[in-house]
Structure formats: structure tokens, C-alpha cells
Amino acid sequence: MRLIMLGPPGAGKGTQAALVSAAHGVPAISTGDIFRANIKNETPLGLQVKEITASGGYVPDEITNAIVRDRLAQEDAAHGFLLDGYPRTTGQVAALDEMLAEAGHALDAVVELTVDTDEVVGRLLARAVEQGRADDTEEVIRERMRLYAEETAPLAAVYRERGLLHRVDGMGSVEEVTGRIEQVLGRVRDAASATDA
Ligand code: ADP
């Protein structure tokens, strides 16, 4: 399965991506995690993106697209993947389309996790305390939410037009949300096998 997990900062994408990835045997690929690992290890990439991510901005498309291209070329992603936090801009959508076309692959579904904003800010502030993430101050959280609304939320419409978008209520317990996602993926799978038959 080739999936995208879409949703605002704090919607629980990372948590759900890990669970879905384990259940379906496909790697969860998080651009945010890749950037954080590089920042931690002080690699050239990490030094390049450290300030941008700390201020809540988006890393330039050329950098992000190149990283995803490399990651998707790795063997474990050959038969499927779950993208968490990518694409985030229309430029990234176009780049991903190109990567998939080159490989002769297609997306199976885009799962959009929906949450209410107040709840999300609360979750992010709690996570800031737990994980000490540099980009989880209230000001930076607000900037990330603004950028999401402006740049990333519109991607849902792009995928809806392609018939790929599935909106899932992201409120409730982790298990409840996972259950909803699995229902969606079950339907996607049934629809795909009906077409194949
Ligand atoms: P969030 O909790 O906002 O979903 P992520 O862990 O996905 O955060 O990403 C953290 C930061 O890494 C983002 O705020 C951004 O600076 C950078 N980043 C991650 N993915 C992308 C992307 N696809 N394009 C540009 N910047 C990105």
C-alpha cells in the first residue's frame, strides 16, 4: 500500500503512522523525523534546516523533495510506504507525482486526520514538555498551524479530486482513531481487489 497521512501539526499523524506501518508491513516515512535526526547528528543537512524548522517554517521544496526521493528509492519502500508530513506544498505534490510515475506506481489513499484546533494546541504543548522539541513553543506552534492552513490544507482538495481522499476523525483515543483508519484502508483494499477481479 502507498499512503499519505495528512493533518495539522498535533493531529496524531506520527502515532497513527507508526501503528498503520507496523500493521501493514510498510515503512512509515516522516520528513520531520528525518530532519530532526539530521539536526541531532549535526549533519550538513541538519545545519541547513535547523533554523527553519525551529521557527516553524517549511524547509524549501528542493531539499525536502530530494530527501524523499532518496528515501523512496530504498529497498524497504519498493512495495509500499506511508508518508507522514509529506507532501506539504503543491510543489511537493508535483514532485511526488513524478517520483511515482517514474517508478510506475500509484497512490492508494490519502488519509486526512481532522481535529479541533484547541485540542491540537493542547496536545502540542504537552508534547513539548515530554520531548523537549525546539519547535513546540506556543508562538512556533501558531506559525506551524498558520502555514498548514495556508500551504498544506489545500492539498486535501487536490487529492479529493483524484478520488483518493479519506477524512478520518482524529479525536478520541489512539485506538479509536486507529480503528477508523483501518476501516478506511479495508474499504480501499476491497475497492482495489474489486477492480482487479
Ligand atoms: P508536525 O508536528 O508539524 O506535523 P513534523 O514532525 O512533520 O511536524 O515536521 C517538523 C518540521 O519539519 C516542520 O515544522 C517543518 O519545518 C519541517 N518539515 C517536515 N516535513 C516537511 C515538508 N514536507 N516540507 C517542508 N518542511 C517540512
Side-chain angles (χ1 to χ4, degrees):
M1 264 206 291
R2 295 183 175 84
L3 305 172
I4 291 173
M5 194 85 88
L6 208 61
K13 294 189 300 293
T15 304
Q16 296 299 334
L19 293 166
V20 172
S21 147
H24 295 266
V26 295
I29 299 171
S30 156
T31 42
D33 283 351
I34 294 172
F35 291 140
R36 275 185 292 278
N38 278 275
I39 291 166
K40 191 170 168 220
N41 296 322
E42 299 180 337
T43 68
L45 170 69
L47 296 174
Q48 217 177 348
V49 303
K50 188 173 177 174
E51 278 190 27
I52 304 172
T53 60
S55 67
Y58 281 177
V59 173
D61 281 356
E62 311 84 71
I63 298 178
T64 308
N65 290 333
I67 281 159
V68 173
R69 177 176 282 278
D70 277 358
R71 182 62 189 87
L72 290 184
Q74 287 173 31
E75 214 175 287
D76 66 335
H79 301 290
F81 53 75
L82 195 170
L83 288 169
D84 160 16
Y86 181 93
R88 260 179 157 94
T89 65
T90 50
Q92 293 178 14
V93 170
L96 177 62
D97 285 346
E98 210 175 281
M99 294 172 218
L100 289 168
E102 282 168 19
H105 293 148
L107 288 172
D108 295 295
V110 177
V111 174
E112 182 186 21
L113 287 181
T114 61
V115 285
D116 80 57
T117 317
D118 290 346
E119 161 93 15
V120 152
V121 173
R123 282 187 190 178
L124 289 171
L125 289 170
R127 186 172 72 182
V129 175
E130 279 165 27
Q131 301 181 356
R133 264 176 59 158
D135 59 350
D136 273 350
T137 66
E138 196 160 353
E139 190 190 344
V140 173
I141 289 169
R142 238 182 266 125
E143 172 60 10
R144 283 158 61 211
M145 298 294 259
R146 189 193 65 77
L147 254 188
Y148 182 83
E150 198 172 294
E151 300 268 351
T152 307
L155 304 190
V158 172
Y159 288 118
R160 178 180 296 121
E161 274 176 31
R162 298 186 191 179
L164 290 172
L165 188 73
H166 303 268
R167 300 187 87 202
V168 169
D169 180 2
M171 306 299 288
S173 69
V174 169
E175 295 74 22
E176 279 165 348
V177 177
T178 308
R180 292 178 198 136
I181 295 173
E182 288 303 337
Q183 266 183 0
V184 163
L185 296 182
R187 287 203 301 273
V188 167
R189 200 171 256 179
D190 290 348
S193 52
T195 323
D196 289 346

